[in-house]
Structure formats: structure tokens, C-alpha cells
Amino acid sequence: MAWSEDPLGVELAALRIDFEGAAPRSVSLPRRGPISISDYGDAETLTAVREELLQSERDLGGPAVLRWRAYGSGNIDASDARLIDEPLPWGGGPGRGMPHIQGELDRWSRANAGEVIPNVMTPLSWSVIADALDRGFHAPWGDWTEGRRFVALYDGYAYFNIGMMMEIIQQRLGLSGTHFLEAVGGPEAAEVVRPGGNGQRSTKIQWTTMLGQLPFMIRWLRDQDQLPKIWPAERSSCEAERDRLKSLDTAEMSDREIFREISRSSAESERQTIFLMRAQSAVFSAAQGLLWATDRWLGSNQRQLSLGVMQGLSGIRTQEGNIALRRVAQRASEDALATEFIRAEDARSLWGAVHSERLPDEIAWLRDDLDDFMAEYGHRAAGELEAAEPRWVEQPELILDTFRDYVLHPERNDPDEIIERQQATRRQAEAEIQERLYRHPLGRLRWRLFRAQITQARRLQPLRENPKFTLLELSLQQRLLWRVLADRWIEQGLIDDPNDVYFLLFEELATLTRRSGDPLIAARMRSRIRRRRLQFEEWKKSQAPPLRDRYGDPIVSANGQAPSMATAEAQSDDSGPEAEPDAALPLTLRGIAASTGEAEGRAHVADNPVTGRELSPGQILVARFTDPGWTPIFPLAAAVVTEIGGVLSHGAIVAREFGIPAVVNVQQATQQIHTGDLLRVDGSNGQVTIVERA
């Protein structure tokens, strides 16, 4: 075989000639100039192959591959010439993660990763975020995790090394991994966390191991305690870079200058991503401590109390955005003219309508309020760590559909009532914990320790959301600069579509910027874009296995299926963990209790945020995952059920702030539950009961 482009995607200007036979081998050749490789074949033959290959490339209009056979020196027969269509994967190779030193206990999980990076990642997004995520995770642990990867890409989907995290928690620190699993969710969580699983719930601490690590843990806790104090300076730094990019006049800038500004801002993005990962470690640590104290001193059946004390918190930007949208909707619902104007438009036309002459002067405030909301929160999206995802400000219908529902259903739309109710729930839960602890002879001491744990968890919880919120403000400005470059490159004939830039790695985009006048480079990049798009679409057709072993191979049970993450048990004698959708009713599915309370309603099963926005008020949202881009839908829902997630899932946090019952980590929920099924959701005990089929 002969390739006019390196099929491995490494050498930009090389031809690759493969020899078959008794001693198969492969060589790189220059595109022009003399050839003097005698070990692999005579120069005349290789020159003939090269000429045939370059002619095929010209005829086909892109990098080509052909089959060739030699009949004596310089005499060849070429056939089967075609464009190179073989996948050109990113992230380490097809089906494999990025190269890393494999630990015996490494295990790759979609838990949490399936929430924050739910879809196949584009090459650009992966190339700019992977190392920063990895470095941020390793920052607190030093030599313990030296040389091992925390994040990897398998078949286009991001995975986190949950095995390494459990190794740190259990073997290094001597703590119980149970509560970490409950916080993060995932395949192991249902087996060991909730009663009824196949494993055993344990709060046991290895005190000897923990005491041996006491100096480290003191430093670790001190570092965590500093994070809320240094966050304001980190936020200011990121916002300053955001504002700097906003102020650029790209019309006066060359392609190289624009790329230089993106590169400069990428250093700030990396800093913020590292801080984000440090903050995640701190938040999960505080949650583990709170859950452990609850199980140890109150009992695992009192989980609603530990969840209750984390409700009604201020300063969480995702929740503030939801409240801000509801306030605009509340004002509109109280204005008859505004309500009728909104009713007459659908989500796609509403943004244009409020910015047109059709908007009556009496409700000009509607345009101003929506503009203010977009200026503050328009950088959000579903799956928003993916740079290719359009933001609300770019496609307003992504959020205006929900806004219309808020306006047209004002009975569920009082933000002040929500805030007051959640704060009352928090105070009540805290008082009940104190009262229960005081029943014990050591109650006052226990309460003092428990209250300290509550305080720390509350201080840290905003850091679960807020650093990502600010990072995404900067990401939007970078995305807009990429769009400027993409539009210019389309005009120059270098690429065909604005989204093509997301199918090149960052370093490849740097090469294209520097050498955009080189037709060879342009052809190479178009080939890579085309081939990666094919790979991207192929990967999108399959769901990512929830667990992979240390080599990246899917972990399956004896029946060939992915291991179940939750137990489904019917209240009849002939059903079991793998109950079918038509099993005897009522059928109870178990997951992790994420937000307290009970609700009953018809299910709305959503595959993505688009179908999620079809939710009707009072229905129960059932989805594989939710992220901050979904959460404006939550106030319309009677309850939320997801297949992925834990106590600290983004969706769980927002559900608690809205006072909506939520059960997460319910494996195969979207398969076992149908739209229209009557459900009863118990967010305090982690149970979802199918009462009646649609």
C-alpha cells in the first residue's frame, strides 16, 4: 500500500510506503526530491510509486491511498486508488485511552464524567482540556499518583480513573470509599451504597492507616480550607481575561494575531481548570465527611437530614441563573400584554420578536430584561465543557422554550417562595439533627463536630459549580474567536464548515494558522477533518460502557452486559434485579437519594436537552444524566430521575435548591421507564416506583 498522507497523522509532509512479503516494512518518503533508499527497494521503483500516488491525489482531490505491485526496477502496477477514509482518532488511538502507566487498581468509569462531559468529545476540546483535568486532579496527591492518568478517552468518550480515586481513599488514607461512591455515583455505587445492593454498606475506617497519614491530612484539610479564600482572586483573574478578549477588535487583526490571543487565554483556562479540579476534591471530601457522620451517629435511614442541611444555600451561580430567569418570567406573567406577546411566539421566533418593532413600547422592559439575562448567563449550554456546543446566547431558543413555560404556568413560578421554603427546610433539618444527637451522652460533642462538618460542606459546595461557571464565560469568548478564524478560513477555501475547527487538535490549528497558504497543509487538514468527522459520527452511534478495566476494555458481567448499577425489585415474588419493563407492578427501582421529598406524576423520558424541553409542568423528568444546561427545566418537573450521578451531581445540587425530589444512579432507568408511566419518586430513600404503565 502507498499513502500520500501519513495514516498515523504524525508527519504532515511525508508519504508512507508499505511493503508486504517475507519482510514487511514501512518507510516515509519526501514528496519531492531524490530518493536513495536501497534497503527497502530500489530508488526507481519508489519514485514510480510516488509519482503514481501524487497523480492519484491530484485526480481525487485529496490525500489518497493505493495498492501497488512492482515488476522489476521502476515498473509498477497501481490499482484501487481512493481517498483515505481510515479513521484518524484522537486521544490515544481507537478504543484506547491516552498513554498512561497502568496501576493494578486502575478502573475507568463514566461516573461524573458522564455528567460533565456527556457526549463524544471533539479533538479540539479534548486537546485543550485533558492535561489540565489531569494536572488538577494530581495536584493534591503528589507522588501517590505519579505517572498515572486520571482522565482518558475511550471511543471518543471521557472516563475518570475511579479505581485510582478509591485506592487513594481506602488504601492511602484508610477511609471508607462508600461515601465517596455515594457522592460521585457510578457502577460500584449501587452495589455498596444503597441497602438491597449486592455489596455491603460500610462506614469502617482503618484508623491505623489514617493516623499514619495524619500530617498529610492536616496539610490537605488546610489546603481545602484556603480554597474559598483564594477563589475571589481566581475569579477576578478569569473575568479579566474574559473582558480582555471581549475588547479585541478582530477586524484589525491577522489570523496569527487572533490565534496568539487564543493561545494566551488558554493558559488562563488551564489555570482555572486546575483550580476547578482542586475544588472538586475538596467538595467531595466534605460531602464524604458529612455522609459518614450521618451514617455513624444518626443511621443511614436519616439521609434526608444530611441532604436537608445542604439546601437553600446562596451564592451558587447555576441556581442564581435559574432564579434570575424565573424573575423575568414572573414579571411577564403578571403583565397581560407581555404574556400574550410571548404566547403568540414560539421559542425560535421569540428572541427575534422581542428585538423587533413588533414589541410594544409598553413592554420594552422585556427585551432589556432578557438581554441582561443573556449577558450574565448566556454562556451556558448542555454538555458545556465541549467547545463545539452552541451557547444560549448563540441559540436563544435553547433557553427561551423553558422561559415560555415559566411565563405560561405562573402557578409554579414564585422564586421567593422557593428560596424561603428551602431555607426553612435547611433550618428544620439542622434542628432535628441537633435534637437527635443530644439524645446521646456525648451528644454535645457530637453536635459540635457535626456542625463543623456542615459548615465546611456549605462553604465548599458553591465551588462545585462556580469555578466552572466562570471558566465557561472565558470559554465563550474563545469560541467566538474560533468562529472568526473559521469564517475567514471558509472564505479562503481551507475548510468547508464553521464547526470544522473542532475536528483539529490545538497544535494542528496552530500549524494551519502559520501555514494557511501552503496547499499541502490545507489538503492534509481537510482530510483530517473529514476522517475525524466520520469517526465522530461512528462513535456517537454507541453508548459508552459505564466501566472499563485498566487496559480500557469494557467490564461486563457473565451475561455479556454491563454490570448493573442499581437494583430493580418488584413487589411480587417472580421479579428480580433484571426485571423487564412489563414485569408485575408496582415495580421499584433503587438509586441514590439526592434530594428529599416525595412526588407522583407521569414520566417524561428524555434522551437529550431538546427532548427534555418538551417536559410538561408536573411531569417527572427521567434522563440518562443532567448538567447545568438542563437545570432550567427542573422547576417544571415534579421530580427528577437519572441513570448517572451521585449526591454531588450538578442536577442533584440544583434539585435540592428547588426542593424537587431527585433519585440518581438508577441504572437503566430510561429503558425500564416509558414516557407516560405513572411514577412515585421517594427522594429521601432513593426509590422510584413504577405504579402504572402508560
Side-chain angles (χ1 to χ4, degrees):
M1 304 293 289
W3 314 74
S4 70
E5 177 188 22
D6 178 6
L8 300 180
V10 177
E11 298 181 74
L12 272 175
L15 308 178
R16 175 72 62 176
I17 311 296
D18 292 342
F19 294 82
E20 296 179 353
R25 56 189 73 190
S26 181
V27 297
S28 292
L29 296 180
R31 293 179 65 86
R32 58 181 63 88
I35 298 174
S36 58
I37 303 177
S38 58
D39 290 346
Y40 303 111
D42 63 272
E44 290 79 6
T45 298
L46 293 177
T47 300
V49 174
R50 181 174 68 179
E51 291 175 356
E52 189 71 34
L53 187 57
L54 294 177
Q55 184 59 50
S56 296
E57 186 178 70
R58 288 190 291 270
D59 293 342
L60 294 171
V65 57
L66 57 79
R67 188 177 300 279
W68 65 277
R69 183 183 299 274
Y71 296 95
S73 178
N75 297 315
I76 68 164
D77 176 24
S79 61
D80 300 332
R82 56 180 171 79
L83 290 172
I84 299 175
D85 286 327
E86 280 70 14
L88 184 64
W90 51 100
R96 313 310 302 166
M98 291 184 67
H100 66 284
I101 298 173
Q102 296 153 351
E104 286 292 330
L105 299 180
D106 282 0
R107 178 179 272 196
W108 300 96
S109 175
R110 284 285 285 162
N112 194 241
E115 260 194 297
V116 298
I117 313 175
N119 303 314
V120 176
M121 290 203 80
T122 60
L124 176 58
S125 293
W126 179 250
S127 66
V128 299
I129 202 173
D131 284 342
L133 288 173
D134 216 63
R135 290 174 59 193
F137 170 80
H138 289 294
W141 312 118
D143 294 342
W144 288 357
T145 59
E146 183 75 27
R148 290 165 65 186
R149 296 293 304 187
F150 167 66
V151 59
L153 203 69
Y154 292 104
D155 297 334
Y157 290 94
Y159 284 77
F160 294 153
N161 192 343
I162 199 169
M164 184 164 59
M165 290 186 279
M166 292 294 287
E167 180 183 342
I168 292 169
I169 293 167
Q170 294 179 316
Q171 297 188 9
R172 294 286 189 174
L173 299 178
L175 302 174
S176 165
T178 296
H179 300 103
F180 167 76
L181 291 174
E182 186 167 3
V184 75
E188 294 96 337
E191 301 300 325
V192 300
V193 172
R194 301 310 306 157
N198 297 330
Q200 294 182 347
R201 185 181 181 86
S202 172
T203 61
K204 186 179 295 185
I205 289 177
Q206 303 297 323
W207 292 103
T208 303
T209 302
M210 192 184 74
L211 291 174
Q213 296 293 347
L214 197 57
F216 170 84
M217 294 187 72
I218 292 173
R219 292 194 303 272
W220 180 42
L221 292 171
R222 188 183 298 133
D223 180 65
Q224 291 182 9
D225 193 57
Q226 291 298 311
L227 291 176
K229 300 175 184 177
I230 65 177
W231 164 237
E234 293 290 333
R235 183 186 65 233
S236 295
S237 175
C238 192
E239 289 174 345
E241 183 63 13
R242 171 204 67 193
D243 293 341
R244 188 186 72 80
L245 293 187
K246 271 187 181 180
S247 68
L248 295 176
D249 182 4
T250 56
E252 302 298 322
M253 298 171 64
S254 68
D255 291 3
R256 290 192 178 194
E257 289 171 332
I258 292 175
F259 186 84
R260 195 155 45 238
E261 295 299 339
I262 295 174
S263 299
R264 176 179 169 184
S265 69
S266 293
E268 179 65 26
S269 295
E270 183 173 345
R271 254 175 38 87
Q272 294 298 326
T273 303
I274 290 172
F275 180 88
L276 172 64
M277 293 304 296
R278 290 175 60 200
Q280 303 310 292
S281 294
V283 174
F284 278 104
S285 172
Q288 289 176 74
L290 186 60
L291 295 172
W292 179 87
T294 302
D295 283 358
R296 183 72 174 174
W297 293 337
L298 299 174
S300 60
N301 60 342
Q302 298 300 319
R303 185 49 46 80
Q304 75 277 6
L305 296 178
S306 57
L307 296 178
V309 297
M310 299 304 295
Q311 296 180 186
L313 303 181
S314 61
I316 298 175
R317 299 304 306 277
T318 299
Q319 172 68 351
E320 289 175 349
N322 295 331
I323 293 296
L325 187 65
R326 289 168 70 84
R327 291 199 186 283
V328 181
Q330 183 182 40
R331 183 179 181 185
S333 68
E334 293 170 353
D335 186 317
L337 182 58
T339 299
E340 288 310 308
F341 184 86
I342 292 167
R343 190 190 307 276
E345 305 291 337
D346 61 21
R348 291 185 177 275
S349 66
L350 181 56
W351 186 256
V354 299
H355 290 85
S356 72
E357 295 180 355
R358 301 205 313 272
L359 183 72
D361 291 340
E362 298 90 331
I363 57 171
W365 59 264
L366 178 61
R367 176 190 60 237
D368 298 337
D369 283 6
L370 286 175
D371 283 347
D372 289 344
F373 173 82
M374 283 297 189
E376 186 72 15
Y377 303 102
H379 60 281
R380 305 312 298 264
E384 53 200 1
L385 280 181
E386 169 53 64
E389 285 290 338
R391 311 300 163 175
W392 292 344
V393 72
E394 297 172 298
Q395 291 188 12
E397 64 269 20
L398 296 175
I399 189 65
L400 291 182
D401 197 9
T402 302
F403 172 73
R404 287 185 74 257
D405 279 334
Y406 287 177
V407 174
L408 301 179
H409 298 90
E411 68 279 0
R412 302 173 57 84
N413 200 36
D414 189 340
D416 292 320
E417 179 184 333
I418 292 173
I419 294 171
E420 291 172 6
R421 183 177 67 241
Q422 294 309 96
Q423 291 176 345
T425 299
R426 185 187 71 205
R427 291 191 294 268
Q428 180 180 351
E430 191 167 337
E432 186 171 346
I433 289 173
Q434 182 179 11
E435 189 273 331
R436 286 175 177 272
L437 290 177
Y438 269 31
R439 297 174 189 173
H440 192 275
L442 298 177
R444 291 184 180 275
L445 174 61
R446 287 184 174 183
W447 167 241
R448 192 174 294 115
L449 295 173
F450 205 110
R451 186 171 55 187
Q453 192 66 54
I454 291 173
T455 301
Q456 182 72 344
R458 286 175 179 168
R459 286 183 67 237
L460 291 171
Q461 182 157 300
L463 295 183
R464 172 75 169 138
E465 295 282 345
N466 293 353
K468 181 166 172 268
F469 180 96
T470 304
L471 172 64
L472 290 166
E473 290 183 291
L474 176 57
S475 176
L476 172 61
Q477 300 308 313
Q478 294 166 342
R479 176 179 162 83
L480 295 177
L481 291 179
W482 283 123
R483 182 57 187 261
V484 172
L485 287 177
D487 289 343
R488 291 183 180 184
W489 291 342
I490 289 173
E491 289 183 8
Q492 298 169 33
L494 299 177
I495 62 176
D496 300 320
D497 183 272
N499 287 328
D500 282 353
V501 294
Y502 300 112
F503 291 89
L504 293 174
L505 303 174
F506 191 85
E507 56 269 26
E508 293 170 342
L509 287 161
T511 300
L512 183 59
T513 304
R514 291 194 308 269
R515 302 175 61 184
S516 59
D518 186 335
L520 171 65
I521 297 300
R524 290 290 179 270
M525 295 308 173
R526 283 195 298 271
S527 172
R528 292 179 181 207
I529 291 166
R530 179 175 56 82
R531 293 160 62 195
R532 287 195 179 122
R533 276 187 176 275
L534 292 173
Q535 180 70 82
F536 184 83
E537 293 301 322
E538 191 64 30
W539 278 339
K540 277 174 58 178
K541 294 176 183 177
S542 61
Q543 286 193 8
L547 266 182
R548 293 177 182 267
D549 64 20
R550 63 189 177 119
Y551 302 107
D553 296 323
I555 296 175
V556 296
S557 60
N559 63 5
Q561 302 297 315
S564 175
M565 289 195 289
T567 303
E569 54 180 277
Q571 297 176 4
S572 64
D573 294 336
D574 59 351
S575 62
E578 300 298 328
E580 295 297 325
D582 59 352
L585 299 181
L587 174 68
T588 299
L589 315 177
R590 294 189 180 275
I592 293 175
S595 181
T596 61
E598 296 185 15
E600 188 168 296
R602 295 288 175 179
H604 175 70
V605 180
D607 295 330
N608 54 61
V610 175
T611 55
R613 290 194 296 273
E614 298 170 1
L615 179 80
S616 298
Q619 287 186 316
I620 293 174
L621 176 63
V622 181
R624 289 183 50 243
F625 72 95
T626 61
D627 64 16
W630 289 64
T631 49
I633 304 169
F634 280 29
L636 301 173
V640 175
V641 177
T642 66
E643 293 183 350
I644 293 174
V647 170
L648 286 182
S649 297
H650 297 284
I653 292 172
V654 176
R656 289 196 291 273
E657 292 308 308
F658 278 126
I660 300 168
V663 181
V664 299
N665 215 57
V666 182
Q667 188 61 57
Q668 299 176 353
T670 58
Q671 286 84 47
Q672 300 199 66
I673 299 171
H674 301 156
T675 292
D677 287 352
L678 181 63
L679 304 182
R680 185 181 303 118
V681 177
D682 184 346
S684 301
N685 293 311
Q687 295 181 349
V688 180
T689 302
I690 304 174
V691 179
E692 175 185 291
R693 288 295 181 187

